[in-house]
Amino acid sequence: MRRLHLNAFFPFGPIYVWDELERPEQYYEFDGFAQLARTAERGLFTGVFLGDSQRLREHLGRITDTAVTGRPDQLVLFSYLAALTEKIGFVATLNTTFNDPIDLARRLATVHTLSHGRAGWNVVTTDNAWTGENFRRGNYLDHTHRYEHALAHLRTVQAYWDEELGSASHPVLFQAGESDEGRDFAARHAEAIFSRYLDYDQASAFAADLTARLGRVGRPRSDLAIFPGAKITLGDTRAEAEEKAAEFERRTWTDRRIRAVLESVWSRDLSAYDVDGPLPDVGPADPEQTVTHGVVNSRDQPLRTVGAWRTLAAERGYTIRGLVAHLSRTAQFVGTPGEVADRLAHYVRTGAIDGLNLVPNAVPTGFDEVVERLVPELQDRGIYPAEYAGSTLRDNLGLPAPVAHRIPTEARS
């Protein structure tokens, strides 16, 4: 029977109401993460999943405070959390482009050993010069070669694990690539994949695409768990839940933050523009600006992005605020616990998803309602366990032995 997995997910940028806590630093203190991890384990979450960024984001030449990368190192934090928990897994996002494979393998193996088999690795690649500057390597890896490099890196890591951990006890491999190359890499090597598709039709199409790719390398669909990122907002009635979700958006999307979305593409100060007015009538100051400096992906083509946004705003009558609300629509489930459980049951039973990387609405209490109100509804529908299946992340994801020891090398090349 298909079941739902929940991961506690922390993206590289915070999506919280910053004035809820007395000190903003509390969002990044170990005790806050510990409380969230313990709550997630009480709710039988499968894992804690951390995103990462290899360089502080910039906005108009300054470090931006809308995408903070100042939290503790993932593997150090996981070593701490492993001592406070017993069953929940820990998935770290680690880059194959700018990490030494032996160093990465050794650090992950250490967390895997300390946690008694609860570590996972979200394999990601990077190819842009802006991130490379942080490692004094600039644009050294061509975009077309990033997965070729990642495969060589992965094989070195797995060879180390074979020696240090044994062939049956590797950390679980996640993958987050969206391109054709990324999906093929996941089909050949990963055991779970991060998805951005929460709309049902899009999620089903993504699952069908991966099923076909898995089949070409001799793997069944059950070999690869699909985890879209999502939020959940609950209420006693649908109207109450929708009002809570709308209030959260109003409090997190301040005028300054809304304006910053446009400034990241326009490359100029737009503080003189009313966010409830039309889009700026001036063009981008720097048509070559790279997207990773800011918070919105303009695909390195500010002129084209500005043109597309102006067309969209004209067609739909959007102000700046309306346009940004459209662009930043959060993938989420909103409703009563029963309504959300029914929707999730449909997604899981039809194979559209296998789990959610669930973003908390608050720190450190962001999972309390899900654990106390939604989990029992999921259990009543038979799609959520009453206890952990085992003691390792691999056990609790229902995964067989590592892919590298089941699928022939030629199929994974």
Side-chain angles (χ1 to χ4, degrees), residues 236-284:
D236 291 335
T237 64
R238 168 72 70 87
E240 182 186 277
E242 289 177 346
E243 176 53 33
K244 286 172 66 177
E247 175 63 15
F248 181 80
E249 293 298 316
R250 283 192 292 270
R251 294 184 67 185
T252 52
W253 282 97
T254 62
D255 289 358
R256 177 175 170 234
R257 188 179 176 200
I258 290 171
R259 198 174 285 112
V261 172
L262 266 66
E263 290 175 340
S264 69
V265 177
W266 260 261
S267 305
R268 64 170 78 231
D269 181 355
L270 299 175
S271 58
Y273 288 84
D274 183 355
V275 295
D276 292 311
L279 270 62
D281 52 5
V282 297

Side-chain angles (χ1 to χ4, degrees), residues 105 117 130 169 199 307 309:
W130 181 77
S169 182
D199 170 80
W309 286 3

Side-chain angles (χ1 to χ4, degrees), residues 53-58 63 69 98 128-139:
S53 177
Q54 296 294 303
R55 179 170 171 169
L56 290 171
R57 304 285 157 149
E58 298 172 7
I63 300 298
T69 53
F98 299 114
N128 63 73
W130 181 77
T131 302
E133 289 173 355
N134 206 34
F135 299 85
R136 298 184 178 181
R137 295 187 186 182
N139 195 24

Side-chain angles (χ1 to χ4, degrees), residues 185-244:
F185 189 89
R188 293 189 178 103
H189 306 285
E191 297 161 301
I193 185 168
F194 189 119
S195 155
R196 63 187 178 92
Y197 301 109
L198 200 62
D199 170 80
Y200 180 77
D201 290 340
Q202 292 180 342
S204 296
F206 184 68
D209 179 78
L210 286 174
T211 301
R213 293 173 194 266
L214 287 163
R216 289 196 284 272
V217 297
R219 299 179 65 193
R221 166 69 176 81
S222 59
D223 242 22
L224 184 69
I226 301 174
F227 285 82
K231 296 177 71 172
I232 291 176
T233 303
L234 302 174
D236 291 335
T237 64
R238 168 72 70 87
E240 182 186 277
E242 289 177 346
E243 176 53 33
K244 286 172 66 177

Side-chain angles (χ1 to χ4, degrees), residues 94-97 123-127 141 146-147 149-150 175 185:
L94 298 168
N95 192 290
T96 58
T97 304
V123 182
V124 296
T125 66
T126 298
D127 61 2
L141 183 62
R146 66 194 191 288
Y147 280 107
H149 180 88
Q175 207 268 340
F185 189 89

Side-chain angles (χ1 to χ4, degrees), residues 6-300:
L6 294 177
N7 283 335
F9 174 48
F10 303 88
F12 63 77
I15 312 174
Y16 313 127
V17 178
W18 284 88
D19 58 2
E20 282 188 334
L21 297 181
E22 186 175 337
R23 295 180 295 106
E25 294 84 5
Q26 289 176 271
Y27 288 104
Y28 299 101
E29 291 177 350
F30 279 40
D31 287 346
F33 283 104
Q35 183 172 335
L36 281 162
R38 284 168 165 150
T39 302
E41 189 170 63
R42 180 163 54 85
L44 304 174
F45 280 32
T46 303
V48 176
F49 187 113
L50 288 179
D52 194 22
S53 177
Q54 296 294 303
R55 179 170 171 169
L56 290 171
R57 304 285 157 149
E58 298 172 7
H59 182 70
L60 301 182
R62 295 182 176 181
I63 300 298
T64 178
D65 56 3
T66 56
V68 176
T69 53
R71 66 185 172 207
D73 177 88
Q74 299 170 84
L75 296 180
V76 174
L77 175 62
F78 284 162
S79 298
Y80 173 73
L81 296 179
L84 304 176
T85 55
E86 297 180 353
K87 303 286 188 181
I88 198 166
F90 302 104
V91 183
T93 297
L94 298 168
N95 192 290
T96 58
T97 304
F98 299 114
N99 279 294
D100 176 84
I102 294 298
D103 178 60
L104 182 149
R106 186 171 63 85
R107 291 187 290 131
L108 262 171
T110 299
V111 176
H112 198 58
T113 300
L114 284 173
S115 64
H116 303 290
R118 292 187 280 150
W121 174 23
N122 180 35
V123 182
V124 296
T125 66
T126 298
D127 61 2
N128 63 73
W130 181 77
T131 302
E133 289 173 355
N134 206 34
F135 299 85
R136 298 184 178 181
R137 295 187 186 182
N139 195 24
Y140 92 99
L141 183 62
D142 186 82
H143 181 77
T144 58
H145 294 149
R146 66 194 191 288
Y147 280 107
E148 180 182 330
H149 180 88
L151 177 57
H153 189 289
L154 175 62
R155 285 178 170 161
T156 302
V157 169
Q158 289 174 325
Y160 179 92
W161 288 346
D162 280 346
E163 292 292 328
E164 297 296 323
L165 301 172
S167 60
S169 182
H170 287 191
V172 174
L173 295 183
F174 282 65
Q175 207 268 340
E178 168 57 25
S179 64
D180 276 343
E181 296 94 332
R183 294 186 187 196
D184 280 339
F185 189 89
R188 293 189 178 103
H189 306 285
E191 297 161 301
I193 185 168
F194 189 119
S195 155
R196 63 187 178 92
Y197 301 109
L198 200 62
D199 170 80
Y200 180 77
D201 290 340
Q202 292 180 342
S204 296
F206 184 68
D209 179 78
L210 286 174
T211 301
R213 293 173 194 266
L214 287 163
R216 289 196 284 272
V217 297
R219 299 179 65 193
R221 166 69 176 81
S222 59
D223 242 22
L224 184 69
I226 301 174
F227 285 82
K231 296 177 71 172
I232 291 176
T233 303
L234 302 174
D236 291 335
T237 64
R238 168 72 70 87
E240 182 186 277
E242 289 177 346
E243 176 53 33
K244 286 172 66 177
E247 175 63 15
F248 181 80
E249 293 298 316
R250 283 192 292 270
R251 294 184 67 185
T252 52
W253 282 97
T254 62
D255 289 358
R256 177 175 170 234
R257 188 179 176 200
I258 290 171
R259 198 174 285 112
V261 172
L262 266 66
E263 290 175 340
S264 69
V265 177
W266 260 261
S267 305
R268 64 170 78 231
D269 181 355
L270 299 175
S271 58
Y273 288 84
D274 183 355
V275 295
D276 292 311
L279 270 62
D281 52 5
V282 297
D286 180 4
E288 303 297 326
Q289 178 186 336
T290 59
V291 293
T292 46
H293 294 187
V295 295
V296 166
N297 188 339
S298 66
R299 301 188 187 283
D300 290 333

